[in-house]
Amino acid sequence: MTIYLDASASTKIDNEVLIEMRPFIEEEYGNAGSMHTSGLKAAHALNLSRKKIKEILNVDEVIFTSSGTESINLALKGYALKNKSKGNHIITTKIEHHAVLDTLEYLEKNGFEITYLDVEENGIINPKKIKEAIKENTILISVMHANNEIGTIQPIKEISKIAKGNNIIFHTDACQAGNSESLKDLDVDMLSLNGSKIYGPKGIGILCKKNSIRLEPLIHGGGQENKLRSGTENIPNIIGLAKALDIAQNNIGEYKKLSTLRDYFIQELLKIENTILNGDKNNRLPNNVNITFLNVEGEAILLMLDEKGIQASSGSACTSNSLDPSHVILALGMPYEAAHGSIRFTLTKDTTKEDINYVLKEIPEIIKKLRGISPVNLTLEEIKNV
Amino acid sequence: MYDVQSKDGKEWFYTDEVKDHFFNPKNLLKTREEAEQCAKQASGIGEEGSPACGDLMKMWIKVKDNKIIECKWQTFGCASAIASTSMFSEMVKGMKIEKALAIKPQDISKELGGLPARKFHCSVLADKALRAAVNDHYKKTNQLDKIKEDKVKIIDKILKITDHDIEEAVLEGVRTFEELQKRTKIGVQDKTCIPEAEQLLRFYLEKYFNKKQ
């Protein structure tokens, strides 16, 4: 038995999506740039998909890329490099995905000045802080719509207003938001999104932008995507992303019902002593549960869960390439001691109460076992005083 | 040794040996009560690491005729830390103290059929905890002359970089002097320390990875 609770890492492709993609994998393999019937069919599918996405999101332009990460790179580097005559200051938060943080770090090394803002203890940015951080040379603000680790949802519309009022371009990384948040009337200048989090294919992302925004391309070549992203268009994945986004954005109400199951899960997990819920209790993705189990190490929990058929994820240093624990959990003001035992469960749209009950049956024993062998015995009060 | 994201496409990044020791650890004190009980009879108790770093290892040893007859432990650590300590505690049982202290992390890793490169530092905790437990035993039995502490020595006099920093850098993946300098800035200002730093780098590479530069 497998209970997959890692939807924020990757989702299963929807059957309807697969059906639409299939002919373009198996039969229609033409290049959208070719002057013959096969090419025209591909070009037609490409145009239809683009049109569909533009309508769903109500945006001017859609650029297809290979991933959310590439979209974010194009948005941040592409804008900064093209517009450096306007200024060199960029504002972001400390809880962004590494696709944003590492890209900005790169820009920092190349003459840009970056402000990384703290979030509140609940994992949400106070828009006031953004207002206060704006300087004369600020050209860009990038804030994620929903956080990938703790699921907190950021006040995008408010930030957008602030950006507009100050004539600053605003980009949002909406990779985690596509299932539960309406992205149609966000009115942001740039938005990044990918297929693999919304029950679509992997290896496909989009960057949406307003017509007036000028970007420097990162990939040069055949001049596809209005010269902003060269490379033969990945037609099956483009079709898949358009369909997946269509389904996701039209079923937000249904998806949000997952929050009932999420709240039940959180409530039961918190009954285990010395556990902490990371991120805001209510203002979070309907499928996100992020819990710290004090005195145990996240990777050990993950492996024991996996042995029981339960697949989750951890902000533990030991599961990532870096030896530092999650920057997101640390940004909540949590001490290092507490950041090592955080586990993220992200429900899929097919997760049932039976699945959750099974996890709830197994997890106390795993925690008890690992705490038994742990020489560390910190309590919630001690953690708060660290 | 192979890496987690490695080229050989192995499905599980830990070997069966690691998994076995992780799920069925040997010589482990399974509850706090057991640990308290064990403390009463132990010849020496040692601790290494800190919970803030995500790794804390505690070890209880029983010594008879200069031999380790029991090695019990507890850990707040990841799967590699659990598995390598379990293996280590089996390896040292019945060994003379000096011999046990000479076990290198790569010996443990070898017994486990290899650890992912970046998990290697987890196995270092076990031998350091043993060193602390042995010192505790020497203290308790008044053999103070035998106590060996890890003395920290400053190598780069301007940036205050120690031999310990070089050791850490090696354990976390540094293999060449260029990498070491990029990471620690050692010798950038205090150029007189470069020969000694290079020598230490070679020493730790050899100690942990049997690599000769």
Side-chain angles (χ1 to χ4, degrees):
Chain A
M1 180 175 56
T2 300
I3 294 176
Y4 182 82
L5 296 176
D6 205 10
S8 279
S10 174
T11 49
K12 181 180 171 183
I13 196 161
D14 248 349
N15 203 33
E16 281 179 70
V17 173
L18 201 56
I19 288 169
E20 291 213 356
M21 288 169 68
R22 208 161 212 153
F24 286 84
I25 300 172
E26 291 173 344
E27 295 143 33
E28 304 293 348
Y29 50 82
N31 183 323
S34 297
M35 287 308 279
H36 47 59
T37 309
S38 286
L40 290 176
K41 275 186 187 172
H44 184 60
L46 173 65
N47 292 339
L48 277 182
S49 300
R50 199 189 310 276
K51 192 167 162 253
K52 194 157 143 187
I53 295 172
K54 278 188 196 174
E55 278 167 17
I56 298 169
L57 300 179
N58 191 21
V59 291
D60 293 350
E61 264 181 64
V62 171
I63 304 155
F64 290 107
T65 69
S66 69
S67 58
T69 297
E70 192 194 324
S71 299
I72 291 166
N73 269 266
L74 180 57
L76 304 181
K77 286 196 284 206
Y79 186 79
L81 298 176
K82 189 83 178 178
N83 296 277
K84 54 186 166 194
S85 61
K86 294 179 187 164
N88 70 338
H89 181 232
I90 301 170
I91 299 169
T92 191
T93 78
K94 286 186 180 168
I95 63 165
E96 300 298 306
H97 189 276
H98 280 294
V100 169
L101 293 178
D102 291 13
T103 302
L104 291 178
E105 201 180 295
Y106 167 82
L107 286 172
E108 210 169 2
K109 280 185 200 147
N110 286 278
F112 287 86
E113 184 198 340
I114 319 289
T115 299
Y116 301 92
L117 293 173
D118 280 314
V119 294
E120 304 300 302
E121 248 177 58
N122 63 358
I124 296 170
I125 179 87
N126 182 349
K128 255 195 206 158
K129 283 191 179 157
I130 292 179
K131 212 172 187 172
E132 286 162 10
I134 293 173
K135 305 197 291 187
E136 221 162 66
N137 59 340
T138 309
I139 53 167
L140 181 63
I141 298 170
S142 186
V143 176
M144 69 198 326
H145 196 316
N147 182 271
N148 52 304
E149 286 190 38
I150 54 174
T152 48
I153 295 165
Q154 308 300 327
I156 296 304
K157 283 187 182 167
E158 271 180 76
I159 299 169
S160 182
K161 261 186 215 152
I162 294 170
K164 217 168 244 123
N166 289 277
N167 258 328
I168 297 166
I169 297 302
F170 178 42
H171 164 257
T172 188
D173 158 14
C175 289
Q176 295 288 348
N179 295 311
S180 65
E181 309 305 309
S182 171
L183 303 177
K184 191 166 187 136
D185 297 310
L186 278 183
D187 198 25
V188 294
D189 299 301
M190 293 192 277
L191 178 146
S192 297
L193 193 81
N194 62 348
S196 64
K197 318 291 189 212
I198 53 170
Y199 301 85
K202 291 178 188 55
I204 185 77
I206 48 169
L207 173 63
C208 306
K209 73 172 189 69
K210 293 203 168 140
N211 279 330
S212 54
I213 294 172
R214 319 291 298 160
L215 299 176
E216 185 69 36
L218 307 180
I219 297 177
H220 300 89
Q224 287 89 344
E225 298 301 286
N226 207 12
K227 294 196 174 141
L228 286 172
R229 205 283 182 182
S230 289
T232 301
E233 300 89 345
N234 188 339
I235 304 298
N237 277 5
I238 287 169
I239 293 170
L241 173 64
K243 181 67 181 174
L245 189 62
D246 188 18
I247 298 173
Q249 287 286 297
N250 279 306
N251 289 281
I252 285 172
E254 188 60 29
Y255 189 87
K256 279 195 166 171
K257 288 182 188 161
L258 269 175
S259 62
T260 313
L261 200 50
R262 171 199 72 189
D263 291 341
Y264 165 71
F265 195 17
I266 291 175
Q267 171 203 312
E268 294 301 308
L269 285 173
L270 288 178
K271 285 182 184 166
I272 301 172
E273 60 170 356
N274 292 327
T275 49
I276 302 163
L277 174 71
N278 298 310
D280 194 81
K281 194 164 174 286
N282 301 308
N283 198 4
R284 69 193 299 141
L285 291 173
N287 72 328
N288 177 292
V289 176
N290 189 309
I291 297 266
T292 291
F293 298 95
L294 288 184
N295 306 323
V296 283
E297 208 281 327
E299 193 213 42
I301 304 174
L302 278 194
L303 294 192
M304 289 202 168
L305 283 172
D306 191 44
E307 190 71 1
K308 299 283 179 193
I310 302 161
Q311 300 177 344
S313 150
S314 127
S316 152
C318 278
T319 56
S320 65
N321 272 324
S322 133
L323 290 169
D324 297 323
S326 155
H327 65 283
V328 177
I329 307 291
L330 292 177
L332 302 179
M334 293 275 260
Y336 274 78
E337 284 86 342
H340 287 288
S342 71
I343 299 285
R344 179 188 76 180
F345 301 97
T346 40
L347 283 51
T348 75
K349 52 186 183 181
D350 300 319
T351 304
T352 64
K353 191 161 185 183
E354 285 69 45
D355 295 339
I356 297 303
N357 280 333
Y358 172 76
V359 180
L360 287 169
K361 185 168 76 71
E362 297 295 341
I363 209 160
E365 281 173 46
I366 292 172
I367 300 301
K368 194 178 162 196
K369 196 172 169 189
L370 288 170
R371 279 185 178 161
I373 70 165
S374 171
V376 187
N377 194 9
L378 293 166
T379 61
L380 287 179
E381 283 66 37
E382 285 167 325
I383 282 290
K384 279 175 198 148
N385 295 329
V386 167
Chain B
M1 204 183 299
Y2 57 92
D3 207 335
V4 175
Q5 274 98 13
S6 81
K7 321 92 201 173
D8 61 9
K10 273 192 185 156
E11 208 178 287
W12 184 263
F13 55 76
Y14 288 129
T15 62
D16 288 343
E17 212 69 46
V18 174
K19 270 176 86 178
D20 188 44
H21 276 272
F22 171 66
F23 286 113
N24 307 295
K26 310 284 189 302
N27 307 308
L28 175 69
L29 297 171
K30 289 196 178 94
T31 61
R32 294 200 171 115
E33 292 70 36
E34 268 185 48
E36 277 164 30
Q37 220 37 48
C38 187
K40 288 177 193 160
Q41 302 149 10
S43 313
I45 303 172
E47 206 175 275
E48 178 66 33
S50 94
C53 299
D55 274 313
L56 181 76
M57 185 69 63
K58 201 166 173 182
M59 211 168 257
W60 291 256
I61 53 166
K62 245 191 222 174
V63 177
K64 204 179 168 190
D65 302 332
N66 206 32
K67 267 187 192 163
I68 295 170
I69 54 168
E70 244 183 76
C71 175
K72 301 274 188 187
W73 57 280
Q74 284 203 316
T75 192
F76 165 80
C78 64
S80 310
I82 292 174
S84 44
T85 314
S86 169
M87 177 57 88
F88 182 73
S89 67
E90 284 288 274
M91 287 162 76
V92 300
K93 236 196 269 176
M95 256 186 201
K96 283 233 163 93
I97 288 179
E98 289 71 27
K99 207 177 158 202
L101 287 177
I103 294 176
K104 291 180 193 168
Q106 68 261 37
D107 300 330
I108 309 173
S109 176
K110 201 173 154 197
E111 291 287 322
L112 287 169
L115 280 172
R118 65 187 172 78
K119 290 292 197 166
F120 199 71
H121 76 283
C122 309
S123 62
V124 177
L125 282 175
D127 73 350
K128 287 193 170 170
L130 178 73
R131 158 75 65 189
V134 165
N135 282 347
D136 184 45
H137 161 66
Y138 286 150
K139 234 174 259 171
K140 281 178 178 155
T141 50
N142 212 17
Q143 307 179 67
L144 299 178
D145 54 316
K146 289 192 178 167
I147 294 177
K148 276 191 198 138
E149 301 280 2
D150 273 345
K151 279 203 191 104
V152 177
K153 188 181 169 199
I154 290 178
I155 309 298
D156 183 313
K157 310 224 167 26
I158 295 171
L159 294 174
K160 305 269 181 285
I161 296 163
T162 67
D163 52 351
H164 190 81
D165 296 326
I166 298 175
E167 184 182 9
E168 279 294 300
V170 167
L171 287 169
E172 289 180 8
V174 163
R175 295 293 174 269
T176 64
F177 185 75
E178 286 69 38
E179 286 169 9
L180 180 70
Q181 196 165 49
K182 202 174 154 207
R183 189 187 175 99
T184 61
K185 306 278 176 287
I186 195 163
V188 170
Q189 296 177 46
D190 177 10
K191 298 211 190 303
T192 60
C193 78
I194 293 175
E196 194 179 8
E198 280 182 321
Q199 202 179 342
L200 278 166
L201 175 67
R202 271 196 298 274
F203 170 76
Y204 288 120
L205 281 174
E206 232 169 273
K207 176 174 175 190
Y208 292 120
F209 301 101
N210 285 330
K211 261 184 202 156
K212 295 219 164 100
Q213 250 197 329

